[in-house]
């Protein structure tokens, strides 16, 4: 949570594949591995695929993180709209402390990733022990970890989870583009769309298989609706006000009539919109404290960009997988 810097970006530290403990290296040598999206390899740990340093972070937070009842955890499969949800949640739950109409709102000078840290990537990294007393209350944390691998204290506490799901086609395109940009930044060859699509379809996505990630939280949101709220990127695009109010109610901080009259809901949505965030100086020229250029997180921000890339064969293959994997779950990707 340090200030965004404006010097040229260094390669993200999660690309430094050898920079893990000896114990983690030993573990990695026993895990299945596949060609990486960003680095050389991804490894399968507890049924999901991740980069070496992230696996180390996941193990650390599984051991150490003690969730508190009023913590709020935002969960996504990567490239499902994490940046957007971080911005929405931050401005929503902190709206008394940081009124959205004020010119010095933190979102105007910091990237959402520097305001809502990732549990396994920013907080429990390199033996760090986070000091949660420095966080504003309620504590807002993000994670990409699948439900089954969350620290036990998250499952056993009254901590609320907000899950954002995006249609797999746009999620795939976003991930392919993003990871290729990171590869270019660190002077690596880019991955072809054919190869990475095959990977994605076989379940080798970051923190994937994508369907297992989504279904884990979808099922929990049905069985335990007070604990997990399941949102869809496409629905927030289509009905932003309704979805933001739903989120506020779930988090027990509904908008008052006065706030609605003063257009607080509209202002949160405007401030967190793709067009607004992308054009802020911090997101045009700034870097995340973890060393990545903020602009990487703002590409197109649209529903249906996959249509510019998919062949008929790709679409058929993914349709078939979606039908198979989500059959009987009740979850449908209608807005694509
Ligand atoms: P992360 O999981 O690595 O943090 P994430 O924020 O989920 O990344 O992915 C970025 C995607 O969200 C990008 O999608 P695209 O590649 O299809 O364009 C990015 O453009 C989109 N995005 C970022 N901010 C917003 C926003 N405010 N509204 C809508 N979409 C957004």
């Amino acid at each position: 949570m340090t200030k965004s810097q404006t010097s040229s970006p260094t390669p993200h530290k999660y690309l430094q594949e050898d920079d893990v403990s000896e114990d983690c290296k030993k573990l990695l040598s026993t895990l299945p591995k596949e060609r990486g999206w960003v680095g050389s390899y991804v490894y399968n740990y507890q049924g999901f695929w991740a980069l070496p340093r992230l696996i180390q972070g996941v193990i650390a937070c599984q051991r150490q993180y003690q969730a508190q009842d009023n913590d709020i955890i935002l969960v996504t499969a990567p490239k499902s709209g994490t940046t957007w949800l971080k911005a929405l949640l931050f401005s929503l739950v902190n709206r008394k402390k940081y009124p959205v109409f004020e010119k010095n709102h933190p979102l105007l000078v910091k990237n959402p990733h520097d305001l809502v840290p990732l549990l396994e990537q920013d907080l429990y990294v390199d033996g760090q022990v986070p000091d949660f007393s420095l966080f504003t209350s309620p504590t807002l944390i993000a994670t990409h970890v699948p439900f089954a691998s969350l620290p036990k204290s998250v499952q056993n506490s009254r901590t609320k989870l907000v899950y954002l799901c995006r249609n797999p086609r746009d999620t795939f395109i976003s991930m392919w583009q993003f990871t290729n940009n990171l590869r270019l930044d660190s002077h690596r060859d880019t991955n072809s769309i054919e190869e990475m699509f095959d990977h994605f379809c076989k379940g080798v996505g970051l923190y994937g298989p994508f369907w297992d990630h989504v279904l884990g939280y979808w099922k929990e949101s049905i069985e335990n609706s007070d604990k997990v709220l399941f949102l869809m990127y496409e629905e927030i695009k289509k009905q932003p006000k309704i979805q933001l109010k739903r989120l506020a109610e779930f988090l027990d901080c509904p908008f008052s009539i006065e706030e609605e009259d003063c257009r607080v809901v509209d202002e949160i949505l405007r401030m967190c919109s793709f067009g607004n965030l992308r054009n802020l100086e911090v997101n045009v020229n700034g870097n995340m404290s973890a060393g990545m250029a903020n602009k990487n997180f703002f590409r197109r921000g649209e529903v249906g960009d996959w249509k510019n890339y998919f062949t008929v064969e790709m679409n058929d293959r993914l349709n078939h997988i979606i039908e198979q994997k989500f059959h009987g779950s009740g979850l449908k990707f209608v807005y694509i």
Side-chain angles (χ1 to χ4, degrees):
M1 297 243 285
T2 57
K3 276 193 180 155
S4 295
Q5 294 124 26
T6 47
S7 56
S8 59
T10 48
H12 195 275
K13 56 185 169 183
Y14 296 95
L15 295 177
Q16 296 158 17
E17 299 170 73
D18 294 333
D19 196 7
V20 289
S21 67
E22 286 308 312
D23 279 355
C24 187
K25 279 185 191 157
K26 261 192 218 155
L27 171 70
L28 292 174
S29 71
T30 67
L31 299 179
K33 65 179 182 181
E34 287 283 352
R35 181 187 166 93
W37 289 73
V38 193
S40 309
Y41 296 105
V42 279
Y43 294 81
N44 192 293
Y45 175 68
Q46 296 185 341
F48 66 93
W49 297 92
L51 295 167
R53 283 177 62 84
L54 294 178
I55 292 176
Q56 181 170 268
V58 170
I59 293 170
C61 72
Q62 285 175 338
R63 286 186 185 147
Q64 296 170 44
Y65 174 56
Q66 289 305 319
Q68 304 299 308
D69 284 344
N70 65 345
D71 289 355
I72 298 169
I73 305 187
L74 172 174
V75 194
T76 49
K79 315 327 287 182
S80 300
T82 320
T83 314
W84 192 15
L85 186 60
K86 281 184 176 184
L88 289 169
L89 266 176
F90 183 89
S91 43
L92 176 69
V93 303
N94 290 308
R95 67 190 192 270
K96 297 274 183 292
K97 182 167 184 190
Y98 302 119
V100 282
F101 290 102
E102 285 195 357
K103 295 273 176 285
N104 59 352
H105 193 281
L107 268 172
L108 301 178
V109 287
K110 288 191 175 192
N111 177 274
H113 292 283
D114 279 332
L115 293 169
V116 184
L118 211 66
L119 194 62
E120 67 278 13
Q121 183 170 308
D122 302 317
L123 294 179
Y124 288 93
V125 63
D126 297 332
Q128 227 169 262
V129 181
D131 181 356
F132 288 106
S133 69
L134 300 176
F135 283 57
T136 48
S137 180
T139 302
L140 269 185
I141 299 169
T143 186
H144 292 311
V145 174
F147 187 77
S149 290
L150 286 174
K152 288 286 164 279
S153 65
V154 176
Q155 298 173 11
N156 297 337
S157 66
R158 296 173 64 193
T159 304
K160 293 204 175 205
L161 304 174
V162 179
Y163 188 81
L164 181 61
C165 173
R166 189 180 191 186
N167 79 75
R169 295 169 180 82
D170 284 330
T171 307
F172 164 73
I173 290 298
S174 187
M175 194 180 313
W176 172 65
Q177 297 271 9
F178 178 82
T179 50
N180 270 349
N181 283 339
L182 294 192
R183 290 179 75 90
L184 287 172
D185 280 352
S186 52
H187 311 291
R188 292 171 195 238
D189 292 342
T190 53
N191 288 320
S192 71
I193 192 168
E194 292 80 11
E195 191 174 8
M196 297 330 275
F197 183 70
D198 187 52
H199 239 37
F200 187 80
C201 289
K202 288 177 175 156
V204 189
L206 295 178
Y207 292 87
F210 174 84
W211 14 94
D212 291 356
H213 200 283
V214 171
L215 284 171
Y217 286 96
W218 170 250
K219 285 181 186 151
E220 199 58 30
S221 75
I222 292 169
E223 284 162 22
N224 210 346
S225 59
D226 287 344
K227 184 164 185 78
V228 181
L229 178 69
F230 192 95
L231 298 172
M232 298 281 268
Y233 180 98
E234 295 76 16
E235 282 176 0
I236 307 182
K237 279 272 182 192
K238 204 174 158 66
Q239 301 182 310
K241 269 179 131 168
I242 291 178
Q243 297 300 323
L244 185 60
K245 286 194 208 168
R246 203 178 144 215
L247 179 56
E249 271 157 31
F250 173 73
L251 296 175
D252 301 322
C253 58
F255 292 102
S256 64
I257 292 169
E258 292 75 30
E259 284 181 309
E260 293 220 33
D261 288 348
C262 294
R263 303 181 63 80
V264 172
V265 184
D266 303 79
E267 183 55 17
I268 290 179
L269 291 168
R270 190 204 62 78
M271 186 168 63
C272 300
S273 67
F274 180 80
N276 184 57
L277 291 183
R278 183 182 58 167
N279 292 321
L280 295 172
E281 167 62 21
V282 64
N283 295 325
V284 174
N285 290 315
N287 299 327
M288 278 171 64
S289 50
M292 203 183 292
N294 291 338
K295 66 174 185 235
N296 283 331
F297 292 91
F298 304 93
R299 198 181 60 88
R300 297 197 62 164
E302 285 171 7
V303 177
D305 187 37
W306 64 272
K307 291 175 191 156
N308 296 317
Y309 298 90
F310 271 44
T311 60
V312 173
E313 291 73 31
M314 286 167 78
N315 195 29
D316 287 349
R317 181 173 175 193
L318 198 49
N319 267 343
H320 182 67
I321 295 171
I322 292 170
E323 267 168 34
Q324 249 187 350
K325 298 287 180 185
F326 292 95
H327 179 77
S329 70
L331 179 60
K332 297 222 174 338
F333 296 97
V334 280
Y335 308 111
I336 52 168

